Amino acid sequence: MANHKSALKRIRQNEVRKVRNRYYHKTARTALKVLRNEENKAAAAEQLPKVISLLDKLAKKNIIHKNKAANLKSKLTKHVNKLA
């Protein structure tokens, strides 16, 4: 166990950040799932910018890798464009 005050504080900070990052990641996964299951092109096109923004924010905060965000955005855009 840590003995220094700074180490104890770091443990507390890490726990708070872990919970927050898990929440952001789970929220993004849910948004992706909703968009992938969308059948209506107009509704999907309306949701796409919000999901892309969410992914960009996760990549900026290093919750997901920037290349993963780029791959997801590309696949989602193709999916929305393919809808009839």
Side-chain angles (χ1 to χ4, degrees), residues 5 14 21 26 29 38 43 48 53 55-58 60 64 67 70 80:
K5 283 181 80 172
N14 287 339
N21 288 342
K26 182 62 177 170
R29 284 197 306 253
E38 185 62 56
L48 184 64
S53 174
L55 291 171
D56 286 336
K57 287 176 188 172
L58 291 181
K60 183 179 178 184
I64 62 172
N67 290 350
V80 170

Side-chain angles (χ1 to χ4, degrees), residues 16-81:
V16 168
R17 289 177 181 150
K18 182 176 86 171
V19 171
R20 186 181 304 136
N21 288 342
R22 187 180 291 162
Y23 170 77
Y24 289 149
H25 199 187
K26 182 62 177 170
T27 303
R29 284 197 306 253
T30 305
L32 288 170
K33 185 191 259 186
V34 168
L35 182 57
R36 283 192 189 115
N37 293 332
E38 185 62 56
E39 298 293 330
N40 185 1
K41 183 170 181 143
E46 185 180 320
Q47 288 176 355
L48 184 64
K50 295 173 185 170
V51 174
I52 287 177
S53 174
L54 206 79
L55 291 171
D56 286 336
K57 287 176 188 172
L58 291 181
K60 183 179 178 184
K61 294 178 183 177
N62 289 323
I63 297 171
I64 62 172
H65 196 273
K66 64 178 184 173
N67 290 350
K68 180 179 176 76
N71 287 335
L72 286 171
K73 291 190 296 187
S74 174
K75 288 177 184 175
L76 287 173
T77 304
K78 284 181 181 178
H79 172 70
V80 170
N81 289 337

